[in-house]
Amino acid sequence: MAPDFTVWSLAGDSDDGPYLCRGASCPQDHEGCKQLYLLRHAEGQHQVANNEARQSSAVREAIRHMDISLQPSEAARERRRWENWPVHWENPAANKLIDAVLTENGRVQCLRSRSSMPAVELVVVSPFRRTLETANLLFGSLRTGNVSHQRFVVHDLCRERFGEFTCDKRHAMTENFKWRLSASTDLEHHHATSHWSTWDWTTQISLPTARPADTHYTNEDRLWQPSRESSLHVQQRVTALLLWLLSRPERSFAIVSHSSFLKHMLKTIETPRNAELLGATLCNSSMSSFLTVENESPKITQSCHAIMNSVLVVLLLAALRRRRWHP
C-alpha cells in the first residue's frame, strides 16, 4: 500500500534533521511540530496576460515551427520565452507587469475562500503586491476602520523565484509598504482597507541569520536579474524560512507566497492553484523517528523494504547453489 504522506528532511540527504511532512499520517499535535497552511496568491494580471499569449494563433504557430526546426533543448527554451512573452525581460512592454497585482477575478477568489481560512497565530507574507493583497483579503479586515488583530510578518525569503520574468521583480519595500489600491477597484471599500502598513516589515531585515548570503535585506530588489534563480538557491531560501519558523514560539502559520516557491517547498511538479489552501506539518525532530513511528497503523519504511529484498535475494542465490530450488 502506498504511504499516505510525503516527507523530506531540511538536512538534505540526512534523516537526522527537522522535516516537513504532508499527508494524512503526519503528526498533528506532537511537541515540536508546527502546522503550516500554504497559499499561492490569487489570480494576477501577469497570469491573464500569459494565458492570452499562449492561446494566440501567432504564438501557437511560432511554437509549432520551432518544434520542427530546432533541437529539443533550444525549442523548449524558445517555447518558454514565447509563452511568457508578456513578462519576459526581453519584451520592452514587460515593465508594465513588474510586481504584478491581482485581477478583479483574483479578488473575488479571495472573497470566496475567506470563510474557509484557518485560525493561525502568524501570517507570513511575500512583499509582492499580489501577495500583500491576497493576505489582506483572506486574513485581514474588509471594513474601513476595523483593523484586523491578526499578526502578519512580511518576509522577502518567501518571494517568488526571481529572474527572467518582470512580474517576479518587486518594487522597493518602501513603495509596497505605502502602496494602496486604486479607488477604481470594483470591490466596494476595498481600496480603503489595505492595512499592510501596520504589519511587521522589520523582522525580515535581520532574521533569519541562516539565510543565503546574497539574500540579505535590501530596500530595492537587487536579486532580480535576466537569468532565472537556480532551483538549488530557491531550496536554500525555503530551508532558511522553515528553520526560522521552527525557531519562533507560534505553533500555526499561514504562508502567502507564489507557485514556484511553494513547489520547491513541497517538492512537487504540480502547480498550486490560486488561493488554494495546502496543509503541511513542520517538525523539529529527527525524520527517521517519524518514519519508524506507528501513526494509525504500522508502516514499513523504504529502507526496511530494501533490506528485506536484499535478504531474499541472498537466500535465493544460496538455494540455487545448493540445488535445493527447482524452477
Side-chain angles (χ1 to χ4, degrees):
M1 179 180 296
D4 55 356
F5 63 88
T6 55
V7 59
W8 64 271
S9 172
L10 274 62
D13 295 334
S14 172
D15 289 348
D16 293 333
Y19 63 88
L20 186 72
C21 181
R22 186 179 178 206
S25 294
C26 294
Q28 297 298 319
D29 299 316
H30 291 244
E31 187 68 27
C33 291
K34 301 172 185 284
Q35 297 305 308
L36 306 186
Y37 300 95
L38 313 175
L39 286 137
R40 180 192 182 188
H41 59 79
E43 182 188 73
Q45 292 181 352
H46 60 300
Q47 293 177 262
V48 173
N50 282 347
N51 288 337
E52 290 176 352
R54 291 164 187 166
Q55 294 170 8
S56 71
S57 57
V59 169
R60 288 182 176 180
E61 178 61 25
I63 291 175
R64 188 189 69 81
H65 177 74
M66 286 183 291
D67 288 341
I68 296 174
S69 59
L70 300 178
Q71 294 295 320
S73 60
E74 187 178 358
R77 184 169 57 251
E78 285 301 303
R79 173 191 288 267
R80 176 180 172 83
R81 178 172 174 266
W82 280 104
E83 289 182 342
N84 296 279
W85 183 246
V87 296
H88 197 274
W89 69 274
E90 292 180 311
N91 180 4
N95 284 341
K96 297 177 182 179
L97 289 170
I98 288 177
D99 203 347
V101 300
L102 296 186
T103 62
E104 289 301 319
N105 181 58
R107 295 176 183 121
V108 171
Q109 287 175 341
C110 291
L111 294 181
R112 290 174 177 170
S113 300
R114 179 178 170 85
S115 61
S116 63
M117 290 300 105
V120 295
E121 296 177 64
L122 186 69
V123 182
V124 182
V125 189
S126 161
F128 282 66
R129 295 184 177 185
R130 56 189 180 271
T131 42
L132 294 173
E133 191 178 357
T134 297
N136 186 58
L137 282 170
L138 289 177
F139 294 98
S141 172
L142 291 180
R143 295 188 178 276
T144 306
N146 183 19
V147 180
S148 171
H149 295 290
Q150 180 69 64
R151 295 181 61 199
F152 296 81
V153 171
V154 178
H155 211 302
D156 205 36
L157 266 182
C158 63
R159 65 175 293 165
E160 180 58 303
R161 187 178 186 179
F162 56 78
E164 190 175 7
F165 306 134
T166 57
C167 56
D168 301 330
K169 180 179 182 179
R170 65 166 170 78
H171 292 296
M173 292 286 189
T174 50
E175 291 182 26
N176 284 356
F177 173 81
K178 62 184 180 182
W179 170 67
R180 290 294 180 270
L181 294 171
S182 168
S184 63
T185 178
D186 291 342
L187 291 181
E188 184 180 4
H189 302 312
H190 177 49
H191 65 278
T193 63
S194 307
H195 294 303
W196 42 81
S197 62
T198 66
W199 300 352
D200 178 355
W201 289 70
T202 59
T203 293
Q204 64 175 332
I205 296 176
S206 57
L207 293 172
T209 56
R211 67 203 306 168
D214 58 349
T215 61
H216 288 286
Y217 174 87
T218 59
N219 181 45
E220 302 290 339
D221 189 354
R222 297 180 183 174
L223 286 174
W224 191 93
Q225 55 191 347
S227 59
R228 196 70 165 157
E229 180 185 14
S230 70
S231 290
L232 175 61
H233 195 273
V234 181
Q235 198 61 58
Q236 290 172 342
R237 287 199 290 119
V238 166
T239 300
L241 179 74
L242 294 178
L243 290 175
W244 171 64
L245 295 181
L246 281 174
S247 72
R248 294 189 61 93
E250 296 90 355
R251 293 287 302 274
S252 60
F253 302 86
I255 302 176
V256 184
S257 185
H258 309 262
S259 60
S260 186
F261 184 83
L262 293 178
K263 286 167 69 174
H264 279 79
M265 179 178 288
L266 296 173
K267 294 189 180 295
T268 179
I269 60 173
E270 297 180 7
T271 300
R273 292 193 292 267
N274 294 116
E276 176 188 31
L277 192 65
L278 302 172
T281 304
L282 178 64
C283 292
N284 191 19
S285 59
S286 170
M287 189 175 82
S288 58
S289 64
F290 165 71
L291 291 175
T292 55
V293 165
E294 292 183 356
N295 290 312
E296 296 178 351
S297 60
K299 289 183 173 63
I300 302 176
T301 67
Q302 291 182 347
S303 59
C304 290
H305 279 298
I307 293 172
M308 291 174 64
N309 288 337
S310 298
V311 170
L312 288 174
V313 170
V314 170
L315 292 175
L316 181 60
L317 290 174
L320 284 171
R321 292 192 185 101
R322 297 170 185 173
R323 299 182 182 275
R324 293 179 181 174
W325 182 83
H326 301 282

